Amino acid sequence: MTEQDKETISRLERENRILKKKLKRSEHNRVIVEEAHERSNIGQQNLIAELEEKSAALASSEKKMESKIVELNQSRSAMINMLEDLDEEKLKAEAAKIEMEKNKNLLTLLMDSLPVLIAYIDKDLRYRLANAHFKVIHGIDPENMIGSHIREVIGEEGYAIEKPKYERALAGETVIIEDHFLTPLGVDHWYKLSLIPHFNNGVVIGIFGLVIDLTEQKKLETDIRNAKEVAEEATKAKSDFLANMSHEIRTPMNAIIGMSHLALQTKLSRKQKDYIDKIHSAGNSLLGIINDILDFSKIEA
């Protein structure tokens, strides 16, 4: 083998080695490319899966958001309805308040127009309500009575008398009595007192008080009684007078009737008999009238 052949072989071996190296490098690059491609495919699949997952999550979020929007709309509608109901209730409450105030004013007007004392007293015996008639009877403005103790209104002496009655009412008893007292204005007043317990769950929490002024009625009863006594005395005097006069008249009438009767038994002329007969008849008639007057006086007596 010549040197040239050796060099050729050596060159060919070098080229072979270079080709093998290139082939090896090419194979390596191919593997790298395939791995890169595979990784690219996996990345794309992962990306697609991730996108699909995110899309599903987004769709779910959209559904949740739609549901929330529906809920918000429902809540908004409910809120609007509630506000409308509140407005309606507010209007009703205001109307009820106006009506209540109107009824209160009418009740106050009615209470103040009645000629009786009307009051509400709490369990501590303090006035919580009083009508205008208190000013007429006690000379006290009812507005100034609110919160005042009954002692301050009727005085110590009156309170000492009235206290047991209020204690009975606080014990649950309805008290109705007639009595009289001297007001701070110095007027003697007869009255009918009604104390009615106010119960709450079986417990007395106050007293409704009603006082009717009987002063004029008692005065009228006294006047009627006095007039009756005067009339009875006059009737008795008249009856006594009639009885006395009847007795005084009947005595001579009996004599006239008796004598005329005896005279008719004697012999008389026709004219005399007629006269005496008329006297006798008139005497009997007059005696009948006198007897009737006596009977009437007995009935009156």
Side-chain angles (χ1 to χ4, degrees):
M1 178 179 297
T2 64
E3 287 296 328
Q4 186 178 358
D5 292 333
K6 287 182 180 179
E7 288 177 2
T8 301
I9 291 171
S10 176
R11 182 175 60 79
L12 290 173
E13 286 178 353
R14 284 196 306 270
E15 290 178 356
N16 188 32
R17 284 197 299 271
I18 291 170
L19 286 173
K20 283 183 178 180
K21 286 181 181 180
K22 288 182 178 180
L23 182 61
K24 187 175 181 181
R25 190 179 296 115
S26 177
E27 182 67 24
H28 179 69
N29 290 336
R30 187 184 65 81
V31 171
I32 291 173
V33 170
E34 288 179 354
E35 289 178 354
H37 183 67
E38 186 177 354
R39 282 197 301 268
S40 176
N41 290 336
I42 293 173
Q44 288 179 356
Q45 291 176 355
N46 291 335
L47 181 60
I48 292 171
E50 185 177 352
L51 289 174
E52 290 177 349
E53 184 178 352
K54 288 182 178 180
S55 178
L58 182 60
S60 177
S61 298
E62 288 178 352
K63 287 183 179 180
K64 289 181 179 179
M65 187 170 291
E66 289 176 356
S67 177
K68 288 290 184 183
I69 291 172
V70 171
E71 290 180 2
L72 287 173
N73 288 332
Q74 291 176 348
S75 299
R76 180 173 174 273
S77 299
M79 184 67 71
I80 291 172
N81 292 333
M82 185 174 66
L83 290 174
E84 290 177 350
D85 292 340
L86 287 175
D87 289 339
E88 187 177 351
E89 290 297 325
K90 185 178 179 181
L91 290 174
K92 287 182 180 179
E94 289 178 354
K97 184 179 179 181
I98 293 172
E99 186 68 21
M100 187 180 297
E101 189 68 23
K102 181 180 177 182
N103 292 336
K104 180 182 177 182
N105 292 335
L106 287 174
L107 180 61
T108 301
L109 179 62
L110 174 62
M111 289 172 54
D112 291 342
S113 300
L114 294 174
V116 297
L117 298 178
I118 301 174
Y120 180 80
I121 303 167
D122 63 20
K123 58 186 180 65
D124 296 323
L125 298 183
R126 294 189 177 277
Y127 287 96
R128 297 302 171 193
L129 175 69
N131 70 337
H133 203 59
F134 273 89
K135 192 168 186 177
V136 178
I137 300 300
H138 294 288
I140 301 175
D141 191 332
E143 292 184 0
N144 297 332
M145 292 173 56
I146 306 304
S148 299
H149 197 277
I150 61 173
R151 181 194 294 109
E152 301 171 25
V153 176
I154 64 177
E156 290 290 345
E157 184 177 351
Y159 176 66
I161 297 173
E162 302 296 329
K163 183 180 178 181
K165 303 167 187 174
Y166 286 92
E167 290 177 343
R168 286 164 56 192
L170 288 175
E173 178 184 352
T174 298
V175 180
I176 301 177
I177 57 168
E178 286 189 12
D179 205 345
H180 68 100
F181 67 93
L182 194 66
T183 70
L185 300 178
V187 181
D188 188 24
H189 269 276
W190 280 90
Y191 65 94
K192 180 178 180 181
L193 173 66
S194 299
L195 299 176
I196 305 169
H198 178 203
F199 289 94
N200 184 20
N201 295 327
V203 179
V204 178
I205 61 173
I207 303 170
F208 294 103
L210 178 66
V211 180
I212 301 175
D213 187 4
L214 300 179
T215 304
E216 291 299 324
Q217 179 181 333
K218 291 293 182 181
K219 183 177 180 300
L220 182 61
E221 289 177 356
T222 302
D223 293 342
I224 292 174
R225 186 166 54 252
N226 293 336
K228 182 181 177 183
E229 291 175 357
V230 171
E232 288 176 348
E233 290 177 359
T235 302
K236 185 175 182 302
K238 182 183 71 174
S239 298
D240 291 342
F241 172 76
L242 290 174
N244 291 332
M245 289 299 297
S246 298
H247 283 296
E248 293 294 332
I249 295 172
R250 188 167 55 175
T251 299
M253 286 305 302
N254 285 330
I256 292 171
I257 293 171
M259 291 299 107
S260 61
H261 175 71
L262 292 175
L264 288 172
Q265 306 303 318
T266 62
K267 290 182 179 181
L268 299 170
S269 65
R270 183 176 170 182
K271 195 172 185 179
Q272 289 174 332
K273 185 177 180 181
D274 180 58
Y275 289 157
I276 294 174
D277 188 56
K278 288 179 178 179
I279 291 171
H280 183 71
S281 177
N284 283 326
S285 298
L286 186 58
L287 183 62
I289 293 172
I290 293 171
N291 288 332
D292 291 340
I293 292 173
L294 280 174
D295 293 338
F296 180 73
S297 65
K298 289 178 182 178
I299 292 171
E300 284 189 335

